[in-house]
């Protein structure tokens, strides 16, 4: 077995050094390794995509962006991960800070005295090349579990370019001209968006070092119809549940890698919508293997392949099998979710709506998932969410109104249905 030093090296195979900055680049061949006690683990993440319209297309110039993220596990130190994966030019971050929010004071405000600089190789600035990523130095900060943390980035004057982003953050970002990264007040950050820009992860130094669980999913995992600024995605509920119920406080981090419209093998660009991202198979190496301390992946993809792509059950099953194979070869536990109902979903122009024939594809895929030995476990979201009176539809009390995305209560029900023993170490209840 590799030594601890070698295992740490495998978690970041390539480090690029540029003047004044240290860049962390994950490779497609990275092998997942189990973290050790008091280890760095992922507490929050977002899957990023190419630019779409508006601010993402134009980029930022001499502007501050304040974003809020919801942690799963807490820790004694923090570090942020930034991405310029889809940028067409080098990205300079002139200053980055972390802080605790203070919403009772005002929109975008931070708790006084909580603002801490994040540095990169000792510098307050970092330049990330096109296609690259960066990780900050450790930041001394008590990161709370299952609560919000503010990350503020200042992008100095530079040639505007498309921003790598996440379109449906369900969290308000505050934007303003000039450098206000170190200011607790959000008064000068008057422009608002519901997106995350450049920020792809928040890691914590966790006392139990139980690693992280990555959920690779679509809009249902992304929390598309959940309440904005309320942290009601099913992964948020799951993270809070684990923090409360895991034996000896041994909760793993829960990392949401959901993207609205995401499919197993087709890209958002195939529909002319870049912000729907790359296909799940392509994202696996970045959004799963590239995460800090990953031990388990939950695959929650497939429904868009049914109704958007009108793919066959055999093709969808083959793609799930391939992703399960990649996960196991990478040393990860793989858990797969059944596809929940979507009857009466109002389709977009040119997209076929619900039909019994299409639903038969969903049912075939679910039958395979329930009976297969290709995985380490399953989460039966179909059984949880379907209406007992009409199994082709969502339960009315958990329907957000579009008949495919659960509301806040439906997301909570999903989290409660996850067997926690699938996510905890085998020895979690020993000692």
């Amino acid at each position: 077995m590799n030594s601890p030093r070698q295992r740490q090296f495998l978690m970041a195979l390539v480090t690029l050094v540029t003047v004044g900055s240290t860049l962390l680049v994950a490779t497609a061949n990275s092998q997942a390794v189990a973290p050790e006690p008091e280890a760095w683990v992922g507490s929050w993440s977002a899957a990023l995509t190419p630019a779409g319209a508006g601010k993402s297309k134009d980029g930022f110039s001499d502007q501050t962006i304040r974003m809020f993220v919801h942690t799963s596990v807490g820790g004694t130190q923090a570090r942020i991960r930034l991405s310029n994966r889809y940028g067409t030019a080098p990205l300079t971050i002139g200053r980055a800070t972390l802080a605790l929010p203070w919403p009772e004071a005002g929109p975008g405000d931070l708790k006084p005295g909580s603002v801490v600089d994040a540095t990169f190789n000792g510098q307050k600035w970092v330049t990330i090349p096109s296609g690259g990523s960066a990780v900050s130095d450790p930041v001394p900060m008590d990161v709370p579990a299952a609560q919000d943390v503010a990350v503020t980035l200042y992008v100095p004057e530079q040639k505007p370019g498309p921003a790598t982003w996440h379109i449906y953050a369900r969290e308000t970002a505050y934007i303003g001209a000039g450098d206000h990264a170190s200011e607790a007040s959000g008064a000068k950050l008057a422009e608002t968006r519901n997106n995350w820009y450049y920020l792809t992860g928040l890691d914590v130094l966790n006392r139990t070092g139980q690693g992280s669980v990555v959920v690779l999913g679509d809009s249902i995992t992304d929390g598309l119809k959940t309440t904005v600024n309320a942290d009601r995605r099913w992964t948020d509920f799951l993270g809070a549940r684990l923090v409360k119920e895991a034996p000896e406080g041994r909760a793993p981090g829960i990392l949401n890698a959901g993207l609205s419209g995401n499919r197993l093998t087709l890209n958002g660009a195939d529909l002319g919508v870049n912000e729907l991202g790359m296909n799940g198979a392509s994202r696996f190496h970045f959004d799963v293997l590239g995460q800090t301390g990953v031990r388990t992946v939950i695959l929650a993809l497939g429904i868009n392949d049914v109704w958007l792509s009108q793919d066959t059950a055999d093709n969808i099953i083959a793609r799930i099998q391939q992703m399960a194979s990649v996960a196991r070869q990478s040393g990860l536990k793989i858990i797969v979710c059944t596809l929940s109902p979507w009857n009466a979903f109002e389709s977009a122009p040119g997209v076929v709506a619900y039909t019994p024939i299409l639903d038969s594809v969903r049912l075939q895929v679910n039958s395979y998932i329930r009976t297969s030995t290709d995985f380490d476990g399953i989460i039966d979201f179909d059984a949880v969410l379907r209406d007992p009176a009409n199994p082709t539809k969502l339960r009315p009390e958990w329907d957000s109104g579009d008949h495919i995305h659960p509301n806040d209560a439906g997301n909570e029900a999903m989290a409660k249905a996850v067997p926690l023993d699938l996510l905890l170490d085998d020895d979690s209840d020993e000692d």
Side-chain angles (χ1 to χ4, degrees), residues 133-222:
S133 57
V135 60
S136 76
D137 301 327
V139 176
M141 177 182 183
D142 287 327
V143 180
Q147 295 186 42
D148 283 357
V149 170
V151 178
T152 307
L153 305 177
Y154 169 60
V155 182
E157 186 104 19
Q158 61 181 45
K159 182 179 179 181
T164 299
W165 71 327
H166 184 100
I167 184 173
Y168 295 124
R170 314 304 291 171
E171 299 279 353
T172 301
Y174 300 86
I175 302 169
D179 181 3
H180 306 289
S182 61
E183 298 175 11
S185 173
K188 296 180 180 178
L189 307 176
E191 182 180 353
T192 60
R193 292 286 191 277
N194 285 313
N195 319 117
W196 287 305
Y197 301 94
Y198 309 121
L199 181 64
T200 189
L202 174 70
D203 299 337
V204 298
L205 189 62
N206 184 264
R207 65 181 181 84
T208 58
Q210 295 302 299
S212 59
V213 177
V214 182
V215 184
L216 190 68
D218 48 37
S219 56
I220 295 174
T221 295
D222 206 10

Side-chain angles (χ1 to χ4, degrees), residues 28 93 129 178 323 348:
I93 300 297
M323 295 181 75

Side-chain angles (χ1 to χ4, degrees), residues 10-11 13-14 26-32 285-286 289-290 326 329-330:
L10 287 171
M11 292 300 293
L13 288 178
V14 181
T27 71
N29 294 320
S30 298
Q31 292 291 308
H285 296 291
F286 291 102
L289 295 183
V326 172
Q329 289 174 18
S330 303

Side-chain angles (χ1 to χ4, degrees), residues 86-360:
Y86 301 107
T88 58
L91 166 69
T92 295
I93 300 297
R95 191 163 191 172
T97 63
L98 283 80
L100 298 178
W102 202 29
E104 56 268 32
D109 281 0
L110 308 177
K111 184 178 180 180
S114 72
V115 181
V116 184
D117 280 313
T119 61
F120 302 83
N121 197 30
Q123 303 292 327
K124 290 185 178 181
W125 61 274
V126 63
T127 297
I128 310 172
S130 174
S133 57
V135 60
S136 76
D137 301 327
V139 176
M141 177 182 183
D142 287 327
V143 180
Q147 295 186 42
D148 283 357
V149 170
V151 178
T152 307
L153 305 177
Y154 169 60
V155 182
E157 186 104 19
Q158 61 181 45
K159 182 179 179 181
T164 299
W165 71 327
H166 184 100
I167 184 173
Y168 295 124
R170 314 304 291 171
E171 299 279 353
T172 301
Y174 300 86
I175 302 169
D179 181 3
H180 306 289
S182 61
E183 298 175 11
S185 173
K188 296 180 180 178
L189 307 176
E191 182 180 353
T192 60
R193 292 286 191 277
N194 285 313
N195 319 117
W196 287 305
Y197 301 94
Y198 309 121
L199 181 64
T200 189
L202 174 70
D203 299 337
V204 298
L205 189 62
N206 184 264
R207 65 181 181 84
T208 58
Q210 295 302 299
S212 59
V213 177
V214 182
V215 184
L216 190 68
D218 48 37
S219 56
I220 295 174
T221 295
D222 206 10
L224 184 61
K225 291 291 185 175
T226 58
T227 302
V228 173
N229 295 329
D231 305 310
R232 294 295 185 263
R233 309 164 195 84
W234 71 266
T235 53
D236 295 327
F237 284 114
L238 178 60
R241 182 184 169 206
L242 280 161
V243 167
K244 182 179 179 179
E245 299 181 22
E248 301 295 328
R250 295 182 178 181
I254 300 296
L255 303 180
N256 188 316
L259 278 180
S260 293
N262 206 228
R263 292 171 286 176
L264 287 163
T265 57
L266 294 179
N267 301 325
D270 298 319
L271 291 174
V273 188
N274 284 336
E275 51 266 48
L276 299 185
M278 303 296 291
N279 64 77
S282 295
R283 292 204 293 129
F284 196 92
H285 296 291
F286 291 102
D287 294 337
V288 177
L289 295 183
Q291 301 288 1
T292 301
V294 58
R295 287 183 174 182
T296 301
V297 57
I298 298 175
L299 182 63
L301 287 171
I303 192 62
N304 289 327
D305 298 86
V306 175
W307 78 271
L308 275 178
S309 305
Q310 300 166 54
D311 212 338
T312 67
D314 286 344
N315 282 342
I316 295 171
I317 290 169
R319 292 161 188 168
I320 293 174
Q321 288 174 324
Q322 180 58 33
M323 295 181 75
S325 178
V326 172
R328 284 183 161 174
Q329 289 174 18
S330 303
L332 298 182
K333 179 187 290 186
I334 172 74
I335 299 166
V336 177
C337 304
T338 56
L339 310 184
S340 52
W342 60 286
N343 191 342
F345 177 67
E346 297 178 3
S347 66
V351 177
V352 176
Y354 172 89
T355 68
I357 292 176
L358 282 178
D359 200 46
S360 70

